[in-house]
Amino acid sequence: GESVGLHLPTLSVQEGDNSIINCAYSNSASDYFIWYKQESGKGPQFIIDIRSNMDKRQGQRVTVLLNKTVKHLSLQIAATQPGDSAVYFCAENMGYSGAGSYQLTFGKGTKLSVIP
Amino acid sequence: KAGVTQTPRYLIKTRGQQVTLSCSPISGHRSVSWYQQTPGQGLQFLFEYFSETQRNKGNFPGRFSGRQFSNSRSEMNVSTLELGDSALYLCASSLEASGRRYEQYFGPGTRLTVT
């Protein structure tokens, strides 16, 4: 499979436990944030997003928390499964870039390893 | 509905050569973005095309270029390849939506190795 990062922070969790992946973003003016999951050999896959006017959003087994005061984003995965093993990226919308375009900036990523 | 497709999946080139990568977006998606992914720099934005026009460009040298066709398919070209261009090149398509939402769907990428 593809190697997406040789020096990524790694989080190892036992199957069934909850996982928390953290991300610090850079631009206090960013107003839209996304979490992506990237499995080996695949492109990033959209998981969940959140707007800056919210501090929490829940999906299926996933919750995103946003703390604008400290520019921090977290992804919580409940009852982690082996299929959750992947690299997780946060991305922030850096805002309007002109001509109708919005640019995303991605974090470095965190590798999640689930121990069966 | 078929996802984003990229061809070729793997490519080996020699320094100084040029390369063209292809991306077919999801049907109905008119915005196509390109990213370079490396272990050291992570995912970095290259450029974005919409309706055959480049709308946004990242901080890459002029050796990196792209284009979009009337059917929204896109190609990117890298000329005078350098060893540091070895990376996974990802294409993402987006359905132009109102407001500031910007959800992108990624293809599997093209792994380029420069020797």
Side-chain angles (χ1 to χ4, degrees), chain A residues 2-4 6 31-32 34 36 38 41-44 46 49 51 89 93 95-104 106 108, chain B residues 9-10 35 37-43 45 48 55-58 88 90 96 99-108 111:
Chain A
E2 306 293 350
S3 173
V4 298
L6 301 178
D31 63 352
Y32 179 61
I34 308 175
Y36 282 91
Q38 188 173 23
K42 298 182 180 179
F46 174 92
D49 60 0
R51 295 181 183 275
F89 295 93
N93 176 9
Y96 187 67
S97 303
S101 176
Y102 298 93
Q103 180 175 330
L104 289 178
F106 286 80
K108 295 295 187 186
Chain B
R9 290 295 311 278
Y10 301 92
Y35 293 83
Q37 187 174 32
T38 60
Q41 299 300 318
L43 271 158
F45 173 78
E48 185 230 353
R55 281 201 307 195
N56 202 359
K57 189 177 190 304
L88 181 67
L90 290 158
E96 189 72 353
R100 300 169 71 91
R101 186 178 178 90
Y102 196 68
E103 183 174 327
Q104 298 183 74
Y105 297 87
F106 283 84
R111 167 66 67 185

Side-chain angles (χ1 to χ4, degrees), chain B residues 71-92:
Chain B
N71 61 359
S72 295
R73 190 177 69 85
S74 177
E75 290 181 346
M76 69 163 283
N77 184 78
V78 187
S79 62
T80 319
L81 284 165
E82 301 176 0
L83 295 178
D85 298 332
S86 295
L88 181 67
Y89 289 88
L90 290 158
C91 167

Side-chain angles (χ1 to χ4, degrees), chain B residues 10-112:
Chain B
Y10 301 92
L11 205 50
I12 299 175
K13 289 287 189 178
T14 305
R15 271 183 304 176
Q17 289 185 314
Q18 74 166 17
V19 66
T20 300
L21 312 181
S22 181
C23 170
S24 292
I26 293 172
S27 177
H29 286 196
R30 296 165 62 193
S31 169
V32 174
S33 298
W34 288 90
Y35 293 83
Q36 181 196 66
Q37 187 174 32
T38 60
Q41 299 300 318
L43 271 158
Q44 291 187 292
F45 173 78
L46 280 157
F47 27 66
E48 185 230 353
Y49 287 87
F50 177 77
S51 290
E52 302 178 65
T53 301
Q54 186 181 88
R55 281 201 307 195
N56 202 359
K57 189 177 190 304
N59 189 25
F60 277 82
R63 299 186 297 109
F64 292 81
S65 63
R67 61 177 175 169
Q68 187 180 35
F69 302 94
S70 58
N71 61 359
S72 295
R73 190 177 69 85
S74 177
E75 290 181 346
M76 69 163 283
N77 184 78
V78 187
S79 62
T80 319
L81 284 165
E82 301 176 0
L83 295 178
D85 298 332
S86 295
L88 181 67
Y89 289 88
L90 290 158
C91 167
S93 75
S94 176
L95 178 65
E96 189 72 353
S98 61
R100 300 169 71 91
R101 186 178 178 90
Y102 196 68
E103 183 174 327
Q104 298 183 74
Y105 297 87
F106 283 84
T110 293
R111 167 66 67 185
L112 172 65

Side-chain angles (χ1 to χ4, degrees), chain A residues 37-48:
Chain A
K37 170 186 179 183
Q38 188 173 23
E39 298 174 278
S40 182
K42 298 182 180 179
Q45 176 188 358
F46 174 92
I47 301 174
I48 191 169

